[in-house]
């Protein structure tokens, strides 16, 4: 197989294509950071205004479950890193396995989150006008839960998309497409997955721990 | 012309090194959880953020390979982060420097007792700290 | 130096006739064809937004109800704003001329991600469809700024329009990513950053703004929709929410957005001013760096839209001071453009007429911008026609002049034909005069206290309103004339040849219209752009 066969027509060579793909994905990740950024700014404002509600709200959330979710996502990130390593070494089977494992961590994460949400639905700890949890009545608590659901909800949507991307890459890996010369789809998909992990690294302490 | 295949190996860590980073991340996760169970007041947020920044730095530099990649991608990330801080700073500065009574209060029916002038229970909203 | 008649040949094979099926257009990845498809969509948006503007102006012929009711009036100004900002101004120069010329100017065959580029176009159309749907069902009456709590409680059709803009935001982001990556990674051999055409610098700055700001808009629109549908209370004071938080999030995007609108126009002026004066650009580095300067500093100023909204005095003061910095970079550019024209060999062509209009509108619009960014003055002018006149001076006056300059400067390159210069000048005159007639009365109205977005007004304002409406009609006729002679030129215009302006821009080295792959041979760059003194007009193709 000629090394140049993976280069698209408008690129001068594979290096340019790779650098372009990488910069393109990182620029896109920058936009995702700013998308969540608005919610982080809202969090910062309302935490400042309703400090007690945020403290009590955090205490009420299941921190241990969230810690497990954190471990799950970090494991997924590690799996993705290994997938890239195997893709570069042309080890299609291992690459595919790692990608599927990473996707699986995403689904586990979503399942655990679903359990959390179900619990909150049952007790009435819901955002805004739906808040009916009698045991926790403090000024601003409905806002805490509004932010909780919005931030984790948006994040979960990205986990779903990320897991989907990894599954798609796993299928491509199976057909032996990836090698030391052509691995950048795995790299790019991996970058997106790592971003999902990064956002959770901040959501975890901000919502559940402090 | 640079051989394309050597680029793949240049600068990449070995699986063992990646595993070490992974373990570090797990340790930091345990650390942040444990420390949050202690009551440290204002410091708990600071410590939690410091640990989160450390963890994310590990992910960004090594898992996402920013340590070995060229300037423009680093610039993209740095800019996004600074911009995030810019937005957050002015939003928080706004609520913290406003005349306190212009800040929103919550619906008393849903969220607890309402504060009215002269009532015996006055939540000390003005002195809230992060 | 004008081209000899012998040079003006129409190439046999070019991007327009390379494939004539509908499929070859609708599924194209050729950046030039995508640019043209955007041109049609964007011009339709301009027409729609312009019609809404005329309807508004005609309503204001009399103080009370003239021919529409109040809620229709509110819907019209909302839709006028939404269409003009998001469907016309923001995509206009980048998506049409950026798409068409950036690859050519950097010596590449296409943008970095051609299929993504096509996707951007279809996303734009999809977003437009949603918004249109919302419009047909009555449309929102919130103003294009969707302030809470009204936008979250109004019974008018808000959500489809929000969704439409949200979808459109993706188109903007993807285009921005495409340009950033193209400029960073696909410059031809010898093309260093300091040899890039100034239009490329301007689009680069614009793309940075698009990429950083638009996601925040996306989130904000999503939050309004969620709030409207589910009542989470994020911006509802009764639940502890802060309406001003909405304004912070909204303007964090929307102020930089105005630089998305003006920066490309500035890039066009940099290109055309050099060609019109047939002289090196004065202060190349200053212009290049100030493009980045505007892109960055534009993000530090958003609170100047909120001086009377209720934000803290600290924030207001900070934003007031920071807003002044943008004026510095704009001034640098104005001085360099004037410096370029000074002692140049100016030909008074249609693009030059638009350059003159641009400079005039930018200076006065910009100065009034600095004026309203002064807290103590804005307390009087906020939400009056003064502000309306200020931003129309910049957005319609300056940005639209830039758009028309681009259209007239690059028309020969894009279509291989020349339009009728005489009519071009007539239209330019009508537009500049019409514009002044429309908006100078509005400065006076605003200063006298006429509030914006008001359906009724006191009798004493009527004369100025009638004057403004008369001006808008003149403006409209100017556009009609442009449309006619450009449409005729497409078929009957004189063959332009490779470089009818004698410009030193890189894009003039390829045939007019260019071949599908932009060049017969990929260029090697040995010197900078806009160099009239040093370089005789030779082909740069190696």
């Amino acid at each position: 197989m000629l090394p140049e066969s993976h280069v698209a027509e408008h690129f001068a060579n594979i290096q340019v294509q790779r650098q372009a793909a990488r910069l393109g994905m990182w620029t896109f990740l920058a936009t995702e950071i700013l998308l969540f950024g608005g919610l982080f700014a809202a969090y910062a404002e309302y935490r400042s205004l309703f400090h007690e509600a945020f403290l009590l709200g955090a205490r009420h959330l299941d921190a241990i479950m969230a810690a497990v979710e954190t471990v799950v996502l970090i494991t997924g990130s590690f799996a993705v890193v290994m997938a890239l390593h195997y893709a570069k070494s042309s080890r299609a089977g291992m690459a595919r396995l790692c990608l599927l494992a990473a996707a699986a961590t995403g689904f586990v994460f979503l399942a655990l989150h679903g359990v959390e949400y179900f619990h909150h639905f049952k007790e009435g700890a819901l955002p805004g006008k739906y808040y009916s949890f009698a045991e926790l009545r403090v000024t601003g608590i409905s806002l805490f839960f509004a932010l909780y659901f919005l931030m984790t909800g948006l994040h979960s949507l990205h986990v779903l998309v990320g897991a989907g991307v990894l599954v798609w890459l796993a299928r491509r890996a199976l057909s032996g497409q990836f090698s030391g010369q052509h691995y950048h789809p795995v790299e790019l998909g991996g970058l997106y997955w790592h971003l999902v992990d990064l956002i959770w690294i901040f959501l975890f302490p901000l919502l559940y721990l402090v | 012309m640079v051989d394309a295949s050597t680029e793949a190996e240049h600068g990449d860590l070995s699986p063992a090194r990646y595993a070490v980073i992974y373990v570090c991340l797990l340790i930091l996760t345990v650390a942040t959880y444990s420390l949050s169970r202690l009551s440290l007041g204002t410091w708990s947020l600071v410590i939690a953020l410091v640990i989160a920044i450390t963890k994310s730095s590990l992910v960004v530099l090594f898992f996402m390979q920013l340590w070995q990649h060229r300037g423009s991608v680093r610039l993209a990330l740095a800019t996004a982060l600074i911009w995030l801080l810019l937005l957050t700073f002015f939003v928080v500065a706004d609520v913290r420097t406003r005349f306190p009574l212009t800040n929103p209060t919550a619906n008393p029916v849903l969220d607890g007792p309402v504060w009215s002038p002269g009532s015996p229970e006055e939540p000390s909203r003005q002195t809230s700290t992060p | 130096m004008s081209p000899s008649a012998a040079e003006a040949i129409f190439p046999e094979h070019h991007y327009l006739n390379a494939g004539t099926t509908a499929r070859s257009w609708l599924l194209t990845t050729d950046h030039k064809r995508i640019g043209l498809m955007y041109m049609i969509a964007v011009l339709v948006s301009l027409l729609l937004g312009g019609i809404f503007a005329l309807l508004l102006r005609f309503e204001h012929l009399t103080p009370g109800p003239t021919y529409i009711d109040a809620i229709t009036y509110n819907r019209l100004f909302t839709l006028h704003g939404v269409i003009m900002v998001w469907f016309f101004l923001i995509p206009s120069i980048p998506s049409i001329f950026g798409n068409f010329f950036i690859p050519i100017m950097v010596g590449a065959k296409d943008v970095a991600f051609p299929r993504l580029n096509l996707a951007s176009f279809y996303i734009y159309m999809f977003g437009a469809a949603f918004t249109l749907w919302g419009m047909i069902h009555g449309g929102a009456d919130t103003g294009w700024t969707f302030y809470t709590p009204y936008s979250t409680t109004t019974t008018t059709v808000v959500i489809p329009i929000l969704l439409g803009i949200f979808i459109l935001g993706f188109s903007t982001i993807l285009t921005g990513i495409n340009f950033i990556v193209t400029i960073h990674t696909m410059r031809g051999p010898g093309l260093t950053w300091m040899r890039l055409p100034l239009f490329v610098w301007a689009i680069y700055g614009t793309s940075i703004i698009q990429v950083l700001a638009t996601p925040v808009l996306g989130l904000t629109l999503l939050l309004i929709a969620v709030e409207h549908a589910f009542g989470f209370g994020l911006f509802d004071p009764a639940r502890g929410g802060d309406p001003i938080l909405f304004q912070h999030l909204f303007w964090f995007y929307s102020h930089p957005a105005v630089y998305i609108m003006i920066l490309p126009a500035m890039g066009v002026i940099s290109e055309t001013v050099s060609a019109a004066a047939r002289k090196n650009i004065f202060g190349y580095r200053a212009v290049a760096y100030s493009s980045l300067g505007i892109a960055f500093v534009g993000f530090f100023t958003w609170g100047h839209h909120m001086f009377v909204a209720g934000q803290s005095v600290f924030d207001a003061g900070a934003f007031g001071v920071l807003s002044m910095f943008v004026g510095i970079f704009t001034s640098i550019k104005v001085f360099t453009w004037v410096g370029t024209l000074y002692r140049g060999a100016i030909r008074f062509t249609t693009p030059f007429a638009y350059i003159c209009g641009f400079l005039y509108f930018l200076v006065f619009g910009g100065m009034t911008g600095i004026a309203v960014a002064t807290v103590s003055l804005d307390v009087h002018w906020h939400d009056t026609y003064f502000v309306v006149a200020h931003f129309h001076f910049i957005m319609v006056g300056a940005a639209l002049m830039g758009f028309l300059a681009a259209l007239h400067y690059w028309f020969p390159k894009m279509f291989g034909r020349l339009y009728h210069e005489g009519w071009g000048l007539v239209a330019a005159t009508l537009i500049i005069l019409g514009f002044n007639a429309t908006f100078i009365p509005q400065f006076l109205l605003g200063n006298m206290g006429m509030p914006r977005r008001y359906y009724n007004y006191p009798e004493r304002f009527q004369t100025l309103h009638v004057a403004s409406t008369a001006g808008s009609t003149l403006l409209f006729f100017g556009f009609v004339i442009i449309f006619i002679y450009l449409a005729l030129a497409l078929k009957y215009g004189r063959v332009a040849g490779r470089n009818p302006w004698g410009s030193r821009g890189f894009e003039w080295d390829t045939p007019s219209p260019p071949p599908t792959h932009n060049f017969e041979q990929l260029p090697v760059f040995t010197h900078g752009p806009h160099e009239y003194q040093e370089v005789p007009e030779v082909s740069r193709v190696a």
Side-chain angles (χ1 to χ4, degrees):
Chain A
M1 201 190 310
L2 292 168
E4 295 306 308
S5 63
H6 293 295
V7 184
E9 200 207 327
H10 54 284
F11 285 116
N13 56 54
I14 191 88
Q15 267 83 358
V16 175
Q17 179 169 291
R18 219 175 262 152
Q19 180 61 16
R22 201 173 282 147
L23 181 60
M25 180 49 91
W26 271 104
T27 312
F28 179 67
L29 295 186
T31 70
E32 293 279 43
I33 289 172
L34 280 155
L35 180 76
F36 280 90
L39 284 172
F40 280 108
Y43 172 91
E45 166 163 346
Y46 289 128
R47 190 194 172 91
S48 181
L49 286 174
F50 302 115
H51 184 54
E52 201 194 341
F54 275 60
L55 278 179
L56 291 176
R59 288 274 168 268
H60 181 70
L61 296 177
D62 193 344
I64 296 182
M65 177 83 97
V68 170
E69 288 166 7
T70 312
V71 168
V72 163
L73 277 189
I74 293 176
T75 309
S77 270
F78 178 62
V80 156
V81 167
M82 293 311 298
L84 183 60
H85 170 79
Y86 289 125
K88 286 180 181 178
S89 336
S90 304
R91 294 175 60 180
M94 283 304 292
R96 177 170 168 270
L97 193 66
C98 287
L99 286 167
L100 287 176
T105 63
F107 293 118
V108 167
F109 176 91
L110 290 173
L112 292 176
H113 233 38
V115 170
E116 269 190 86
Y117 280 9
F118 180 69
H119 181 63
H120 294 309
F121 264 89
K122 268 181 57 187
E123 67 193 358
L126 293 173
K129 69 182 187 198
Y130 302 103
Y131 188 80
S132 59
F133 186 45
E135 283 165 39
L136 199 48
R137 287 190 162 282
V138 117
T139 315
I141 192 71
S142 63
L143 267 177
F144 173 79
F145 279 98
L147 278 170
Y148 165 78
F149 276 101
L150 280 169
M151 293 172 94
T152 56
L154 190 62
H155 176 255
S156 298
L157 192 64
H158 284 77
V159 172
L160 189 62
V161 169
V165 167
L166 292 175
V167 167
W168 175 69
L169 284 172
R171 298 182 81 194
R172 287 184 67 179
L174 188 61
S175 58
Q177 285 184 26
F178 302 126
S179 64
Q181 283 95 0
H182 179 65
Y183 56 84
H184 71 262
V186 180
E187 184 183 351
L188 298 188
L191 284 175
Y192 188 79
W193 182 261
H194 291 304
L195 178 80
V196 162
D197 188 18
L198 278 177
I199 293 170
W200 182 257
I201 285 175
F202 282 94
L203 285 184
F204 170 50
L206 287 176
L207 289 174
Y208 295 85
L209 296 186
V210 297
Chain B
M1 190 175 107
V2 175
D3 179 22
S5 59
T6 60
E7 212 247 79
E9 291 133 37
H10 178 72
D12 281 4
L13 297 180
S14 65
R17 289 268 162 90
Y18 285 128
V20 166
I21 307 274
Y22 172 57
V23 168
C24 287
L25 287 168
L26 292 178
I27 293 172
L28 286 169
T29 307
V30 171
T32 196
Y33 175 80
S34 316
L35 287 168
S36 74
R37 302 298 99 181
L38 312 170
S39 47
L40 300 166
T42 328
W43 285 103
S44 60
L45 180 69
V46 175
I47 292 173
L49 282 177
V50 165
I51 295 181
I53 290 170
T54 313
K55 285 166 76 179
S56 51
S57 303
L58 287 174
V59 171
V60 164
L61 289 172
F62 299 111
F63 280 6
M64 297 170 94
Q65 301 181 309
L66 210 58
W67 184 247
Q68 61 197 93
H69 285 152
R70 252 172 49 186
S72 52
V73 296
R74 293 182 179 187
L75 197 59
L77 179 67
T79 313
L81 293 174
I82 295 171
W83 259 232
L84 175 57
L85 289 174
L86 176 71
L87 172 63
T88 311
F89 171 75
F90 274 111
V91 164
V92 174
D94 184 11
V95 286
R96 305 210 76 195
T97 54
R98 275 185 210 165
F99 180 59
L101 288 177
T102 59
N103 275 329
T105 59
N107 185 324
V109 173
L110 291 177
D111 287 11
V114 65
W115 174 77
S116 54
S119 83
E121 309 164 57
E122 289 183 17
S124 52
R125 203 169 302 110
Q126 281 84 316
T127 57
S128 54
T129 47
Chain C
M1 186 171 77
S2 48
S4 61
E7 273 188 44
I9 25 166
F10 204 92
E12 210 186 315
H13 299 291
H14 49 82
Y15 77 100
L16 287 168
N17 61 17
T20 47
T21 60
R23 197 192 155 92
S24 73
W25 277 91
L26 295 174
L27 291 181
T28 184
T29 51
D30 179 359
H31 62 99
K32 301 181 289 299
R33 287 190 165 198
I34 293 174
L36 280 197
M37 294 199 291
Y38 265 114
M39 184 183 265
I40 297 171
V42 161
L43 287 176
V44 169
S45 302
L46 174 62
L47 180 66
L48 206 56
I51 287 174
F52 288 146
L54 283 176
L55 291 174
L56 290 170
R57 285 298 344 143
F58 277 100
E59 169 55 36
H60 275 312
L61 280 174
T62 70
T66 310
Y67 70 103
I68 51 177
D69 66 356
I71 202 155
T72 309
Y73 177 81
N74 292 358
R75 287 179 168 140
L76 280 175
F77 71 65
T78 304
L79 292 172
H80 167 72
V82 165
I83 292 177
M84 285 307 210
V85 168
W86 281 300
F87 292 92
F88 173 64
L89 278 166
I90 285 182
S92 60
I93 295 175
S95 301
I96 302 173
F97 304 106
N99 260 322
F100 202 103
F101 289 106
I102 297 290
I104 299 179
M105 286 179 174
V106 300
K109 288 189 200 168
D110 210 313
V111 289
F113 309 118
R115 286 174 301 182
L116 205 64
N117 204 8
L118 184 67
S120 284
F121 173 72
Y122 281 115
I123 293 171
Y124 173 97
M125 297 303 286
F126 191 51
F130 257 99
T131 309
L132 223 64
W133 194 83
M135 274 163 47
I136 291 169
H137 287 266
D141 64 343
T142 57
W144 78 278
T145 49
F146 297 110
Y147 272 20
T148 57
Y150 185 62
S151 60
T152 51
T153 54
T154 178
T155 52
T156 58
V157 171
V158 162
I159 291 187
I161 296 184
L162 291 172
L163 271 177
I165 304 167
F166 178 79
I167 292 169
L168 197 78
F170 280 110
S171 173
T172 311
I173 290 173
L174 293 176
T175 303
I177 293 176
N178 230 333
F179 287 152
I180 289 174
V181 176
T182 306
I183 295 168
H184 266 273
T185 62
M186 293 175 73
R187 283 169 283 128
L191 189 58
T192 59
W193 281 93
M194 286 298 135
R195 283 177 177 174
L196 281 174
L198 289 170
F199 180 67
V200 179
W201 275 104
I203 296 290
Y204 180 62
T206 308
S207 303
I208 292 175
I209 306 176
Q210 284 175 320
V211 155
L212 291 173
T214 316
V216 179
L217 174 78
L219 177 78
T220 311
L221 296 176
L222 206 64
L223 288 179
I224 310 172
V226 161
E227 189 84 350
H228 194 270
F230 301 116
F232 280 9
L234 216 58
F235 305 123
D236 180 1
R239 298 187 202 288
D242 183 6
I244 300 175
L245 175 65
F246 167 80
Q247 293 186 31
H248 276 296
L249 293 175
F250 180 80
W251 287 112
F252 182 82
Y253 161 79
S254 297
H255 188 78
V258 315
Y259 298 111
I260 298 177
M261 298 185 241
I262 195 63
L263 207 46
M266 290 177 166
V268 170
I269 297 301
S270 297
E271 294 286 324
T272 51
V273 95
S274 191
R278 287 173 289 176
K279 191 163 158 274
N280 288 22
I281 193 87
F282 178 87
Y284 170 88
R285 277 176 192 248
V287 180
Y289 288 136
S290 61
S291 294
L292 290 185
I294 291 178
F296 289 120
V297 172
F299 274 95
F300 304 153
T301 63
W302 78 86
H304 63 230
H305 297 270
M306 298 156 57
F307 283 148
V308 297
Q311 73 180 339
S312 72
V313 173
F314 168 77
D315 263 32
F319 283 123
V321 170
L322 288 167
S323 300
M324 301 295 150
F325 285 98
V326 185
I328 297 176
F329 294 111
T330 313
S331 313
I332 290 174
K333 288 191 174 228
V334 171
F335 281 123
T336 58
W337 292 322
V338 172
T340 306
L341 290 173
Y342 178 66
R343 291 183 147 215
I346 298 175
R347 274 178 313 201
F348 208 108
T349 54
T350 308
F352 184 70
Y354 287 117
I355 292 173
C356 293
F358 178 90
L359 287 173
Y360 163 72
F361 290 124
L362 186 71
V363 167
F364 284 99
M367 290 201 306
T368 54
I370 296 292
V372 286
T374 308
V375 186
S376 51
L377 297 177
D378 190 51
V379 169
H380 176 64
W381 283 327
H382 180 78
D383 265 350
T384 67
Y385 266 63
F386 194 92
V387 177
V388 173
H390 153 67
F391 66 70
H392 279 92
F393 253 67
I394 299 285
M395 291 210 224
V396 182
L400 195 55
M401 293 290 125
F403 178 79
L404 292 172
L407 193 59
H408 287 79
Y409 179 60
W410 280 318
F411 184 92
K413 175 57 63 183
M414 293 166 82
F415 302 109
R417 296 192 180 277
L418 297 170
Y419 47 84
H420 193 288
E421 256 304 306
W423 281 109
L425 289 173
V426 165
T429 311
L430 274 179
I431 286 181
I432 293 173
L433 287 177
F435 181 85
N436 277 305
T438 312
F439 290 104
I440 290 179
Q442 293 193 11
F443 274 123
L444 301 171
L445 276 170
N447 202 38
M448 285 160 64
M450 168 80 201
R452 61 186 288 200
R453 297 176 170 170
Y454 267 45
Y455 175 66
N456 290 323
Y457 59 81
E459 286 261 354
R460 64 181 187 276
F461 291 150
Q462 184 170 18
T463 319
L464 286 170
H465 269 295
V466 172
S468 181
T469 305
S472 64
T473 324
L474 205 62
L475 196 54
F476 175 72
F477 279 120
F479 279 107
V480 168
I481 294 175
I482 294 181
F483 174 74
I484 294 175
Y485 69 72
L486 284 182
L488 288 174
L490 281 175
K491 198 146 194 305
Y492 304 113
R494 265 196 310 136
V495 172
R498 191 177 52 79
N499 191 355
W501 307 113
S503 169
R504 295 289 187 274
F506 297 148
E507 72 276 20
W508 298 98
D509 290 335
T510 66
S512 313
T516 303
H517 287 297
N518 297 339
F519 311 97
E520 289 111 354
Q521 260 176 286
L522 283 178
V524 173
F525 298 88
T526 52
H527 45 72
H530 323 296
E531 283 181 3
Y532 287 80
Q533 265 86 301
E534 297 84 337
V535 185
E537 201 209 335
V538 290
S539 171
R540 280 198 186 72
V541 174

